[in-house]
Amino acid sequence: MSGKMATRKPIEVLVFGSAIIDFICYTPRLPKPGETLHGHRFQTGYGGKGANQCVAAARQGSRTALVAKLGADSFGTDYLKHLQSEGVDVQHVQQLEDQTTGVAQIGVSDGGENNIIIVVGANNSLKSCDVAAADSLFQEAKVLVCQLETPIEATITALKAFKGTSIVNAAPAMENTPKELLTLASIFCVNESEAALMTKVPSIETIEEAQTATSELIRLGANIVIITLGKLGAVIGSKTKPGVFDHVKAPVVPAEKVVDTTGAGDAFIGALAHNLARFPEKKLTEQVAAACSVASQSVQLPGTQSSFPRA
């Protein structure tokens, strides 16, 4: 074993999930169905909820590793170099010869709203066997983060293999979420639209509606639920304290400073994972407040990973 390997500090945050290249079009407003609009700016960026959350945690100071799949194309090669430049351990990020790197087409309005179309490509090849291959990382990491942009079977395998604190960010949302995703996760985190879909309500717009949805997700099997509510902050509920909720307020960001909300949810998850790993003695409300602060900073800059603040 080399001296470098012998002295490597343990990974704190392990992310099992997606890596996707973003193609971002900036336009005055989002198009209606069948409508063509002129945009005023285009950029490419690095995305995918898994990689986003990993980079967000790394920028906060956590030692991070990613288990993911890329295509053996120029996009995948560039992405691998990018992850290394962010300090992410990429020993289990694999480029596949017969697959394309995942891509996302993102429209962003001048008001900061977005819509996204994803073609996942190589991400669909993340399998249960990749959990066993990365066993040493699963043994040493303090926090595991999963999402729903890669095959669910592998995600469930990852959650079963991990003995520390796990976060499932159930995005993109599933109307009939497998119960194991709820029961295996230490923390189940969704935004207001995802929570509405999962709890079969038209929308969630108030703290009270978020509390009701939190109770329903706990009834469905979740242990701890966090519903993020954008500028309203987040609501937290726990199976061990039924009917008791915490509302964590988000820092106020003036509307004129909101540039792009695309990566805010991932900034939140990454920062939450960092705080859980680095400051386990703190209360969950404090850890969520710190994550809200990071997310509120991210919406003030364009892009996804490029908007994530550094600690």
Side-chain angles (χ1 to χ4, degrees), residues 102-145:
V103 297
Q105 177 182 302
I106 303 174
V108 181
S109 74
D110 286 350
E113 293 182 308
N114 67 79
N115 59 21
I116 305 172
I117 298 172
I118 298 172
V119 181
V120 297
N123 290 286
N124 267 345
S125 296
L126 191 62
K127 306 293 185 185
S128 292
C129 60
D130 294 306
V131 175
D135 180 66
S136 61
L137 294 178
F138 276 84
Q139 296 300 322
E140 71 183 70
K142 295 179 180 177
V143 176
L144 171 69
V145 184

Side-chain angles (χ1 to χ4, degrees), residues 7-304:
T7 57
R8 181 178 75 80
K9 291 184 178 180
I11 293 298
E12 294 171 296
V13 175
L14 173 62
V15 180
F16 187 87
S18 56
I20 293 171
I21 295 282
D22 294 336
F23 299 108
I24 310 166
C25 295
Y26 292 89
T27 179
R29 60 178 175 81
L30 297 179
K32 299 171 185 175
E35 182 181 25
T36 300
L37 290 178
H38 280 284
H40 49 70
R41 189 157 63 92
F42 171 78
Q43 72 179 74
T44 58
Y46 297 102
K49 300 191 78 63
N52 287 349
Q53 292 165 10
C54 196
V55 169
R59 288 194 174 191
Q60 288 300 298
S62 278
R63 295 183 297 276
T64 65
L66 178 65
V67 180
K69 304 293 183 183
L70 297 167
D73 49 26
S74 60
F75 296 136
T77 300
D78 289 346
Y79 211 141
L80 205 58
K81 292 177 182 175
H82 165 71
L83 290 167
Q84 290 171 316
S85 75
E86 292 284 353
V88 174
D89 183 316
V90 296
Q91 63 177 310
H92 291 282
V93 179
Q94 183 183 12
Q95 286 186 269
L96 302 177
E97 289 293 339
D98 58 343
Q99 297 286 339
T100 59
T101 297
V103 297
Q105 177 182 302
I106 303 174
V108 181
S109 74
D110 286 350
E113 293 182 308
N114 67 79
N115 59 21
I116 305 172
I117 298 172
I118 298 172
V119 181
V120 297
N123 290 286
N124 267 345
S125 296
L126 191 62
K127 306 293 185 185
S128 292
C129 60
D130 294 306
V131 175
D135 180 66
S136 61
L137 294 178
F138 276 84
Q139 296 300 322
E140 71 183 70
K142 295 179 180 177
V143 176
L144 171 69
V145 184
C146 301
Q147 323 76 32
L148 305 186
E149 286 182 339
T150 52
I152 298 298
E153 298 79 12
T155 300
I156 290 172
T157 301
L159 290 165
K160 286 180 177 178
F162 191 69
K163 304 308 178 189
T165 300
S166 57
I167 303 171
V168 167
N169 175 216
M174 301 173 68
E175 196 165 353
N176 296 302
T177 307
K179 187 169 183 177
E180 282 181 300
L181 286 177
L182 290 147
T183 58
L184 290 169
S186 308
I187 297 172
F188 193 83
C189 187
V190 286
N191 66 21
E192 63 270 57
S193 60
E194 292 154 358
L197 181 69
M198 290 183 62
T199 59
K200 297 178 172 56
V201 296
S203 64
I204 295 172
E205 298 176 356
T206 66
I207 303 302
E208 292 72 23
E209 288 172 343
Q211 291 173 344
T212 300
T214 297
S215 291
E216 177 62 11
L217 290 170
I218 290 169
R219 188 191 69 79
L220 291 170
N223 296 297
I224 294 173
V225 173
I226 300 173
I227 298 180
T228 57
L229 301 162
K231 63 184 178 182
L232 292 178
V235 166
I236 309 167
S238 171
K239 179 173 72 174
T240 60
K241 295 181 180 178
V244 177
F245 308 99
D246 288 302
H247 173 217
V248 178
K249 294 183 178 180
V252 176
V253 180
E256 65 271 14
K257 287 192 174 183
V258 175
V259 175
D260 185 353
T261 61
T262 307
D266 294 334
F268 176 91
I269 296 288
L272 177 62
H274 165 74
N275 277 274
L276 288 165
R278 188 63 61 88
F279 308 110
E281 75 283 356
K282 290 189 176 182
K283 294 179 180 178
L284 182 57
T285 50
E286 294 177 278
Q287 295 162 334
V288 169
C292 283
S293 177
V294 169
S296 70
Q297 293 173 62
S298 77
V299 302
Q300 299 178 59
L301 291 169
T304 306

